Amino acid sequence: MTQFVFNAPCRRVAFCCAACHWTRPPLNANLLNLIDRLSLPLDERAARRSLRDFADDTGFDFFAYLYLRGPESFAVSNYPRAWQELYVQREFIRVDPVVTKAKHGPPLFSWSADEARRNGRRDVIRFFVEAERFDIRSGISISIPVGFRDRMVFTLATGRPVSKLSEDIDPVTAAVSVAFVHSRLGAASGDISLASGIRLSPREAECLRWFAEGMAMQDIALMLDISYRSVRSYIDEATSKLGAANNRQAGTIATRIGLI
């Protein structure tokens, strides 16, 4: 009977050589796989899990979906909770280079702390000083316009100093993948609301709340024992702060983001 003898060191060398030649699938292939996953009837938890897996499959640590819609803007991500809270507290959305580039730059782009330092903007450099505490140093983003002003932005982030944008990405595939992300997370309970800079006075919030519930301004004035003109002024001021087209829309927006 023939006896086969395997040499353990040779097996280890063979395995290591195979591992050295292994590479991750092209990013575009991963995007197609993500579309397949998100096309299933997933609930929010399963969708988040799919996005975490996608980030891991593509060699990134974090994912973030940002819906830029004025005062209704929100984000869903697996960033550390402490970073999310700091982001809102410091109103980093005003200086975040990803948000700035998503609004005015190309639909596909990379970003990094090193690039920010080279550009020399102090507020952006300070932003990355804080982000690097949470191992966020670079990433790639896909920005898709929705209507005239709104944007859907999907980001992959990592602690590596540089993230290269893969040349194989098909812009149409990228756009479709972000649309599928939105289909699963657009109605999700956002991890953070980005409307922290909006402040309604107690009277503005009170008048707008009653107005949103269908009460006429004259009736609000009688109930609160103030003039009709005051009620009108409070509601108009709240509408202006919310960037709404009219008072009805202001009531809807304020309700959605928890201001009333």
Side-chain angles (χ1 to χ4, degrees):
M1 182 175 67
T2 304
Q3 185 177 10
F4 295 95
V5 179
F6 295 94
N7 186 289
C10 290
R11 290 203 307 274
R12 285 196 296 272
V13 169
F15 174 80
C16 290
C17 289
C20 289
H21 288 89
W22 179 88
T23 57
R24 296 180 185 274
L27 182 55
N28 204 69
N30 278 312
L31 287 171
L32 290 170
N33 289 335
L34 179 64
I35 292 170
D36 286 341
R37 291 185 201 176
L38 297 181
S39 65
L40 299 173
L42 305 178
D43 60 16
E44 181 182 335
R45 180 178 296 180
R48 286 173 180 262
R49 186 165 57 249
S50 292
L51 290 170
R52 287 196 301 269
D53 292 344
F54 171 74
D56 185 63
D57 290 344
T58 52
F60 289 87
D61 303 306
F62 307 108
F63 78 85
Y65 172 64
L66 175 61
Y67 190 33
L68 296 174
R69 194 180 182 186
E72 295 180 88
S73 299
F74 70 91
V76 176
S77 75
N78 66 334
Y79 283 137
R81 189 65 194 176
W83 167 243
Q84 296 183 39
E85 293 172 353
L86 184 66
Y87 191 100
V88 173
Q89 178 187 348
R90 300 278 185 87
E91 296 186 6
F92 279 149
I93 191 172
R94 299 178 184 275
V95 299
D96 186 343
V98 176
V99 173
T100 302
K101 209 164 185 177
K103 290 179 177 178
H104 308 292
L108 301 168
F109 59 91
S110 60
W111 49 269
S112 70
D114 289 346
E115 180 184 6
R117 293 188 180 97
R118 289 195 298 270
N119 291 338
R121 279 189 53 186
R122 292 184 180 180
D123 52 355
V124 178
I125 292 172
R126 286 195 296 269
F127 166 83
F128 273 114
V129 167
E130 296 294 341
E132 287 179 319
R133 290 172 48 206
F134 300 93
D135 211 24
I136 302 168
R137 294 181 178 85
S138 71
I140 63 173
S141 296
I142 306 169
S143 174
I144 307 301
V146 183
F148 181 67
R149 293 185 304 172
D150 303 342
R151 290 264 169 179
M152 300 183 297
V153 186
F154 184 65
T155 289
L156 294 169
T158 179
R160 295 190 303 270
V162 177
S163 294
K164 293 185 178 179
L165 187 62
S166 176
E167 295 180 357
D168 76 293
I169 300 180
D170 172 30
V172 175
T173 300
V176 171
S177 66
V178 176
F180 269 89
V181 172
H182 179 76
S183 72
R184 290 289 169 252
L185 299 180
S189 52
D191 293 329
I192 57 172
S193 169
L194 302 175
S196 59
I198 300 174
R199 297 286 185 271
L200 300 182
S201 72
R203 273 299 196 203
E204 289 165 357
E206 187 176 29
C207 290
L208 187 59
R209 183 177 69 251
W210 288 117
F211 183 79
E213 292 185 5
M215 185 175 288
M217 291 189 194
Q218 188 64 53
D219 294 333
I220 297 173
L222 290 172
M223 182 181 66
L224 299 180
D225 195 25
I226 57 178
S227 69
Y228 171 86
R229 181 175 295 179
S230 294
V231 172
R232 180 86 195 195
S233 177
Y234 287 132
I235 292 176
D236 286 348
E237 183 63 24
T239 299
S240 176
K241 288 181 178 180
L242 290 161
N246 53 56
N247 297 334
R248 293 293 177 193
Q249 186 185 46
T252 301
I253 292 173
T255 301
R256 285 178 182 169
I257 63 179
L259 290 179
I260 61 174

